[in-house]
Amino acid sequence: MRIPVDRDGPTPIWRQVAAALRTEILSGALPPGARLPSTRRLAADLSVSRILVENAYAELAADGLVEGRPGSGTFVAGAAPGRPVSTAPVDEVSFRGVGDPDLYPVKAMTNTIRDVVRRDGSAVLGYGAEVSGHPPLRATIAQMLASQGIHVDPRDVLITSGSQQGLALVFFALLRRGDPVVVERPTYDGALELLANLGAEVIGVDVDRDGMRVDQLADIVSRHRPRLIYTVPTFQNPTGASLAGDRRRRLLEIAESVDAVVVEDDFVGDLHYDGPTQPALRSLASPGRVVYLGTFSKLLMPSVRVGYLVADREPMERFVSMKRSLDLSTSLLMQVALDRYLAVGRYQAHLARCARLYRPRRDALVAAVRRDLGWDVSPPTGGLFLWARLPSGLGSGALADAAEKRGTGLAAGAPFFPDGVGGERFARLNFVVNGPERMREGVRRLQLAVEDLHGPAQR
Amino acid sequence: MRIPVDRDGPTPIWRQVAAALRTEILSGALPPGARLPSTRRLAADLSVSRILVENAYAELAADGLVEGRPGSGTFVAGAAPGRPVSTAPVDEVSFRGVGDPDLYPVKAMTNTIRDVVRRDGSAVLGYGAEVSGHPPLRATIAQMLASQGIHVDPRDVLITSGSQQGLALVFFALLRRGDPVVVERPTYDGALELLANLGAEVIGVDVDRDGMRVDQLADIVSRHRPRLIYTVPTFQNPTGASLAGDRRRRLLEIAESVDAVVVEDDFVGDLHYDGPTQPALRSLASPGRVVYLGTFSKLLMPSVRVGYLVADREPMERFVSMKRSLDLSTSLLMQVALDRYLAVGRYQAHLARCARLYRPRRDALVAAVRRDLGWDVSPPTGGLFLWARLPSGLGSGALADAAEKRGTGLAAGAPFFPDGVGGERFARLNFVVNGPERMREGVRRLQLAVEDLHGPAQR
């Protein structure tokens, strides 16, 4: 406890101590039920006689601010407040979020964490030997990627604290303020916020049902000479579109022609519902062209906070230094537990289960949105998101506010567009997060929200 | 599984599939024991007939590269490698690191994690409702700080993924490439690496036994007009020095005079051995002047990856946006578990136990370093580190290399100095990380390392 004490001033020390504590208590910083340090310890901390601290506590007790409990110490008067975990109200049905929390493999991961701590003890509670991440996990991820046709050396894998950190690492390491960056329009809002924080110049390329309009790209790169091209080629966020095979090859050629690095954000590329997925850009590209980002947060559980990036030797050194600068290391405990979970094939089984359950949810939401809301949607072949074009006159910002009042939620379109332009006509709905009944209830509330804005005639 | 398949080329598809898998296996990316996807799944993934995949697997089996195990699938031939957690060799005695891993409250934290998952289930496995962190943890931290004389509103607390992320948040949010920043010389090497990654102009102010030489500061700030002054005022890293009370006030006055923000890194301010600790700068400063950084990684366990920063309303908005950009959120599970652990007073008890055990370790290492190595050290009154001035002719870079060969380790001085200048004469030793016997063994090995460099006469 550090209370500034003026030893030479006119106010007695015990009054200074009492005044400092009184301020804390009245402001709520020391809430009811909080325990004060023992008089012995506080006296030692402040290098004052214990009797002075006892005087201070006695004054506070006389004011009714603290109470002594025999045998256990001195406490701020009143009951201790409860500390529930704050979550969304039980009855909110949101179309935001990532995976369905009811499918998180809670028990398996908790048991794995417990087993790892039992087996390895404090060895897994430190920082870990390598900033790049736990070597066995990197090997397991390399193996998992190999089974997806992406050939990587485990040394080219860097463990990140979620794929958002992967993005931050790459952008901060490779970009300077004012550098031009090409992105899809619309694209992941978190990438746009990061680029804004960095002060990069953001240039959008339109997206259609086959992904980025690569036909616009050649002209744009020759004019702007971007250092980076950021793309979510598979089950894009927010549109759900997948970049067609010929466009993938053309994108890489164009990047090659101006020596731009392609940042491939494959956040849910392994969650597909209708037949094969296009090969990753990383598997088609020549060495050094593509930095690949993956994550376990979306489908396993966000609290794991483990993602990864794949890059070649040269930029990797800069990424490792930036990783150390951003957070020293990703939790070793989580890395070891995740490696255990992955290595026995549980993640593949979990993915397969998610895909089985999520596919009919997609179909149901697509049907309901068309039938009950009359919105225009193209069903994506994988991933999490449905991108809806709203009827004319219905703005997504106002809709999101109205939806919140009705106990539901969706993502308004504007944050997915550079400068927000063009987003008002669109909204993003997560189709995996709710089971059938909650989904129906959510759509009903969206109907009500639309009526709140336009009256029942709108339907 | 995504294998690029050319449907129109001259090579049969099954040969393309076999060739892709062969490459993965021979390179080790698919290691011995790895399970291949079922022929059914791979055929579906690639949209090819199942018989083609069976042909590919049969060819690999004929080559001895894979083997079928009846009832369980197809595996890469050979035994699966073990996956031990890689840690330092058992017999290495290092003077690096943070807290003593043997004191990490492993069992208490693991039990707390288990209890939290049992009680709250998937509610603690998502991202959490607020980017700033779990509100009850922020309230608990505010209360903990209040008991140290630092008065904060819980809304002014932002949870970070360790205090390194706090530094990154503040520096990235407030600095641009080329901006001048004042730091202590020497200072925390991780801050210097971060500032180098950012491209800031770093200006050093010398440190003596009473901390930063504030008498040099007025002149420096009037010449350079820094945006930030970064300081570790209490039990400084690496010197262990604590900024004297009058210097604390003077530092704040000077910062005030040029409107520079003071970043106070209080990474072990609550671990003191000899009497009271100076009040935190944050508790002495006028509003808006000081951003305060704290952490639980050092003394609880690094794998928790939870730290915090305290700042005022105005910069906080930018920090929250930057936090979202850097990693979306800190693991909610770890935040809830830590809150539980803190709220029942266990952290205070743990701190007290650490201080009791670490104090004699400091005394023992100070005595041994003086007696057996003849190095010049000033015992710090708290914290983790001893800063040693080496005898002339003994360079710390060469010493660190020689120590490593002898199975011990220390931190060479150069990385703690801007541009590395002046660090060769110094080395940093962690005095808390080893118990008495290991400490003696470590010092013996350092003696041997010195002899390796200079011969026995050096002693």
Side-chain angles (χ1 to χ4, degrees), chain B residues 184 186-190 207 230 232-241 265 267-268 298 384-385 387 416 428:
Chain B
E184 285 141 359
T187 190
Y188 169 45
D189 52 340
V207 175
Y230 169 67
V232 190
T234 306
F235 317 135
Q236 203 241 3
N237 186 1
T239 65
D265 184 347
F267 79 121
V268 283
K298 306 296 177 278
L384 310 172
F385 300 124
W387 185 239
F416 300 100
R428 190 192 72 181

Side-chain angles (χ1 to χ4, degrees), chain B residues 372-386:
Chain B
D372 300 334
L373 297 166
W375 298 351
D376 180 22
V377 290
S378 307
T381 58
L384 310 172
F385 300 124
L386 208 61

Side-chain angles (χ1 to χ4, degrees), chain A residues 90-349:
Chain A
V90 177
D91 65 344
E92 191 188 319
V93 180
S94 175
F95 294 102
R96 298 168 181 271
V98 285
D100 179 353
D102 288 345
L103 296 186
Y104 294 158
V106 176
K107 205 167 166 193
M109 274 303 291
T110 325
N111 288 345
T112 307
I113 290 172
R114 191 200 55 210
D115 292 349
V116 163
V117 172
R118 256 188 213 153
R119 187 190 61 177
D120 299 317
S122 58
V124 293
L125 300 171
Y127 284 113
E130 296 196 28
V131 175
S132 313
H134 184 51
L137 175 62
R138 293 158 69 198
T140 299
I141 288 171
Q143 179 182 337
M144 200 183 77
L145 290 173
S147 82
Q148 294 175 25
I150 306 173
H151 174 81
V152 290
D153 188 306
R155 284 168 298 185
D156 296 339
V157 176
L158 170 71
I159 304 297
T160 61
S161 304
S163 61
Q164 178 70 35
Q165 188 183 58
L167 269 184
L169 279 176
V170 174
F171 288 176
F172 277 121
L174 301 184
L175 292 177
R176 296 190 176 196
R177 188 168 291 273
D179 277 355
V181 178
V182 167
V183 304
E184 285 142 0
R185 179 172 57 214
T187 190
Y188 170 45
D189 52 338
L192 291 176
E193 183 174 10
L194 172 57
L195 290 167
N197 274 324
L198 222 147
E201 184 202 352
V202 176
I203 304 133
V205 177
D206 292 331
V207 175
D208 64 18
R209 294 190 56 171
D210 287 326
M212 186 195 284
R213 289 275 309 273
V214 174
D215 57 308
Q216 298 177 359
L217 190 61
D219 184 46
I220 283 176
V221 301
S222 67
R223 270 189 293 134
H224 292 276
R225 314 296 291 190
R227 177 97 186 80
L228 292 185
I229 300 172
Y230 169 67
T231 175
V232 190
T234 306
F235 315 136
Q236 203 241 3
N237 186 359
T239 64
S242 278
L243 193 63
D246 53 335
R247 291 194 186 181
R248 287 182 188 239
R249 287 182 173 79
R250 184 73 188 122
L251 167 59
L252 292 170
E253 280 168 18
I254 295 172
E256 200 82 51
S257 72
V258 292
D259 197 23
V261 173
V262 175
V263 181
E264 177 177 28
D265 183 347
D266 197 28
F267 79 121
V268 283
D270 45 7
L271 185 66
H272 53 98
Y273 310 124
D274 306 309
T277 306
Q278 290 288 345
L281 294 171
R282 171 89 196 171
S283 70
L284 300 170
S286 51
R289 183 59 48 209
V290 174
V291 177
Y292 176 94
L293 301 172
T295 182
F296 299 99
S297 300
K298 305 296 177 278
L299 296 178
L300 204 57
M301 50 181 74
S303 250
V304 166
R305 308 304 305 125
V306 179
Y308 53 93
L309 70 78
V310 177
D312 303 276
R313 208 69 30 99
E314 188 274 316
M316 188 57 102
E317 268 178 43
R318 296 154 76 184
F319 296 156
V320 170
S321 171
M322 190 58 80
K323 166 70 180 168
R324 192 162 40 226
S325 285
L326 288 188
D327 72 352
L328 294 181
S329 73
T330 295
S331 168
L332 181 60
L333 172 59
M334 288 300 191
Q335 290 188 64
V336 176
L338 181 62
D339 182 46
R340 271 241 179 156
Y341 180 86
L342 296 176
V344 294
R346 296 184 94 148
Y347 185 61
Q348 292 306 323

Side-chain angles (χ1 to χ4, degrees), chain A residues 1-2 45 147-148 276 305, chain B residues 1-2 45 147-148 276 327:
Chain A
M1 186 148 202
R2 289 181 270 175
D45 279 359
S147 82
Q148 294 175 25
R305 308 304 305 125
Chain B
M1 186 148 202
R2 288 182 270 176
D45 280 359
S147 81
Q148 294 176 26
D327 72 350

Side-chain angles (χ1 to χ4, degrees), chain B residues 411-422:
Chain B
F416 300 100
F417 286 78
D419 306 318
V421 176

Side-chain angles (χ1 to χ4, degrees), chain A residues 1-4 7 23-24 27 29-31 34-35 37 41 44-47 83-87 98 101-102 104 106 110 113-114 117 119-127 129 134-137 139-140 142-143 146-152 161 164-165 168 172 175-177 188 190 193-194 197 234 248-249 266 269-270 272 275-280 283-284 292 297-298 301-305 318 320-322 324-334 336 339 343 348 352, chain B residues 1-4 7 23-24 27 29-31 34-35 37 41 44-47 83-87 98 101-102 104 106 110 113-114 117 119-127 129 134-137 139-140 142-143 146-152 161 164-165 168 172 175-177 188 190 193-194 197 234 248-249 266 269-270 272 275-280 283-284 292 297-298 301-305 318 320-322 324-334 336 339 343 348 352:
Chain A
M1 186 148 202
R2 289 181 270 175
I3 294 175
R7 283 158 215 281
T23 306
E24 305 297 349
S27 73
L30 277 173
R35 182 188 188 148
R41 164 157 325 153
D45 279 359
L46 304 177
S47 263
R83 303 192 164 278
V85 172
S86 88
T87 51
V98 285
D102 288 345
Y104 294 158
V106 176
T110 325
I113 290 172
R114 191 200 55 210
V117 172
R119 187 190 61 177
D120 299 317
S122 58
V124 293
L125 300 171
Y127 284 113
H134 184 51
L137 175 62
T140 299
Q143 179 182 337
S147 82
Q148 294 175 25
I150 306 173
H151 174 81
V152 290
S161 304
Q164 178 70 35
Q165 188 183 58
F172 277 121
L175 292 177
R176 296 190 176 196
R177 188 168 291 273
Y188 170 45
E193 183 174 10
L194 172 57
N197 274 324
T234 306
R248 287 182 188 239
R249 287 182 173 79
D266 197 28
D270 45 7
H272 53 98
T277 306
Q278 290 288 345
S283 70
L284 300 170
Y292 176 94
S297 300
K298 305 296 177 278
M301 50 181 74
S303 250
V304 166
R305 308 304 305 125
R318 296 154 76 184
V320 170
S321 171
M322 190 58 80
R324 192 162 40 226
S325 285
L326 288 188
D327 72 352
L328 294 181
S329 73
T330 295
S331 168
L332 181 60
L333 172 59
M334 288 300 191
V336 176
D339 182 46
Q348 292 306 323
Chain B
M1 186 148 202
R2 288 182 270 176
I3 295 175
R7 283 159 215 280
T23 306
E24 306 297 348
S27 73
L30 277 174
R35 181 188 188 149
R41 167 162 319 157
D45 280 359
L46 303 178
S47 263
R83 304 191 162 277
V85 173
S86 88
T87 52
V98 285
D102 288 345
Y104 293 158
V106 177
T110 326
I113 290 172
R114 191 200 52 208
V117 172
R119 187 191 59 175
D120 298 317
S122 58
V124 294
L125 301 172
Y127 284 114
H134 183 52
L137 175 61
T140 299
Q143 179 181 338
S147 81
Q148 294 176 26
I150 306 173
H151 174 81
V152 290
S161 304
Q164 178 71 35
Q165 189 185 57
F172 277 120
L175 293 177
R176 296 189 176 197
R177 187 167 293 272
Y188 169 45
E193 182 174 11
L194 173 57
N197 274 325
T234 306
R248 287 180 188 241
R249 288 182 173 78
D266 197 27
D270 44 7
H272 53 98
T277 305
Q278 290 288 343
S283 69
L284 301 170
Y292 176 92
S297 300
K298 306 296 177 278
M301 49 181 74
S303 251
V304 167
R305 309 304 305 123
R318 294 154 76 183
V320 170
S321 171
M322 189 59 81
R324 193 162 39 226
S325 285
L326 289 187
D327 72 350
L328 294 183
S329 73
T330 295
S331 168
L332 180 60
L333 172 59
M334 288 299 192
V336 176
D339 181 47
Q348 292 306 323

